[in-house]
Amino acid sequence: MRILGIESSCDETAAAVVEDGRKILSNVVSTQIEKHKIFGGVVPEIASRLHTESISYVVNEALEKAQLKISDIDAIAVTYTPGLIGALLVGVNYAKGLSLSSGVPLVPVHHLRSHIASNYITHPELEPPFMCLVVSGGNTLLVKVDGYTDFEIIGRTRDDAAGEALDKAARTMGLPYPGGVNLDKISQNGDDKAYSFPKPRVDASPLDFSFSGLKTSVINTVHNAEQKGETIIRENLGASFINTVVTSLIDNTEKAMQTVDTNKLVLAGGVSANSVLRRRMDETAKKHGWRIYYPELSLCGDNAAMVASQGYYEFISGKRADMSLNAYATMNITEANY
Ligand code: KG4
């Protein structure tokens, strides 16, 4: 079964064709990074306009690369939540038009479900149940994946996502957008004990995350140093900050793994590309005897192959959308049962 995936939730316009949820036939990503760089972050209005300009080229290229026509496609899967509303609407409306004109069924896909599905492409043997740590720019979540379309939230961030904290830390240190990846690069040889930060904790809910205090703390560190005329060693500050974020992610994952029967741990989302997170999570997995899965680096960020993969599982579970499909800026991963 061949699914065409369409993704436009943030700053990548993407389309892909995936066979039976696991095999990529084509995967096209048009990134807007260069256009947003001068503003230091994604400008929603510009993102929507750029999606509108490129979406038909990107979808056509995905079909051409897969050497298929729209009539060869079994379903069109589109990201409809969560994300920037104007950006999501471009993909949703394009997919609705394509479905209406071709008669190919339309399947709505939750963005975080598709981040998880990037692992089905990378690891063809991976099947639920498993625990998943989803760490992206907008979300940080511990989810028990009981089935391909069956999720239970175990822990979530109470405020900012880990990616947001890393991006803001990078920006405050003068690193270009996208911050997280540049912070990772400059921190490779830094001393991760040089600076100390408060350990984030949510007292009443030990499996929940909180990154906003940490974000404020790194911003204050930089501003205080500037006011005193002191020099910040960015490599050390970056390494210390990443280390604190990663410790919080690992601590909660360890607690969450104690609540489930499975020893399979899956990571997903843009921050799962982080080198420190991968190294330290590998060590933790070894210590506990967990089997650990990451998406391949090229599938960690936003792409449409993961949308097509999750779309396949949503499609075979019977999910369909009609022309009333709308986009939603926020929605829980458990509620995406359009
Ligand atoms: O999953 P994603 O591409 O977009 C969302 O769906 O949110 O995640 C983007 C986030 C950004 O915060 C970006 O800075 C972060 O992932 N990121 C990284 C790395 N690569 C991307 N953060 C830390 N280290 C990286 N290597």
Side-chain angles (χ1 to χ4, degrees), residues 73-296:
I73 297 294
D74 294 284
I76 300 164
V78 64
T79 310
Y80 77 118
T81 188
L84 301 172
I85 192 68
L88 286 166
L89 279 167
V90 176
V92 165
N93 282 319
Y94 189 88
K96 280 163 73 170
L98 192 58
S99 169
L100 187 66
S101 60
S102 64
V104 176
L106 183 62
V107 180
V109 175
H110 189 284
H111 185 58
L112 299 185
R113 291 189 183 193
S114 58
H115 268 301
I116 297 172
S118 61
N119 283 281
Y120 301 140
I121 299 169
T122 308
H123 310 283
E125 76 289 1
L126 176 65
E127 288 177 3
F130 54 79
M131 176 66 76
C132 186
L133 173 66
V134 185
V135 265
S136 70
N139 293 275
T140 304
L141 215 55
L142 276 159
V143 199
K144 191 163 155 257
V145 182
D146 291 318
Y148 292 103
T149 59
D150 189 2
F151 303 85
E152 186 188 340
I153 296 173
I154 303 289
R156 70 180 92 201
T157 181
R158 289 300 182 99
D159 39 57
D160 291 327
E164 153 76 13
L166 292 167
D167 287 345
K168 283 286 148 52
R171 190 165 154 176
T172 311
M173 289 181 221
L175 295 172
Y177 167 82
V181 62
N182 289 316
L183 193 66
D184 193 7
K185 277 187 200 146
I186 69 139
S187 307
Q188 298 287 336
N189 299 315
D191 173 4
D192 62 10
K193 308 272 184 302
Y195 294 84
S196 61
F197 294 100
K199 199 175 167 202
R201 205 177 60 207
V202 183
D203 280 338
S205 312
L207 294 178
D208 282 353
F209 302 94
S210 169
F211 293 107
S212 74
L214 207 48
K215 186 175 87 176
T216 308
S217 178
V218 70
I219 292 171
N220 287 345
T221 305
V222 173
H223 288 169
N224 287 343
E226 277 169 6
Q227 279 161 10
K228 289 182 195 158
E230 291 169 4
T231 312
I232 284 280
I233 301 170
R234 292 199 303 189
E235 293 73 7
N236 292 348
L237 184 62
S240 305
F241 188 71
I242 290 175
N243 197 37
T244 312
V245 170
V246 167
T247 299
S248 167
L249 294 172
I250 290 180
D251 282 355
N252 284 22
T253 303
E254 281 186 303
K255 287 181 216 145
M257 286 299 278
Q258 285 169 11
T259 69
V260 289
D261 285 337
T262 177
N263 75 339
K264 282 189 274 183
L265 174 68
V266 172
L267 269 76
V271 182
S272 70
N274 183 265
S275 59
V276 180
L277 177 60
R278 286 189 174 217
R279 179 175 44 77
R280 290 194 46 206
M281 199 60 101
D282 278 346
E283 288 163 9
T284 310
K286 210 168 158 194
K287 186 172 88 188
H288 295 293
W290 303 336
R291 291 193 61 187
I292 190 155
Y293 302 85
Y294 305 96
E296 64 178 76

Side-chain angles (χ1 to χ4, degrees), residues 307-328:
V307 181
S309 171
Q310 182 61 23
Y312 167 76
Y313 292 105
E314 303 284 353
F315 184 63
I316 59 174
S317 80
K319 195 188 277 186
R320 304 285 184 277
D322 59 22
M323 290 302 121
S324 67
L325 178 67
N326 208 339
Y328 302 90

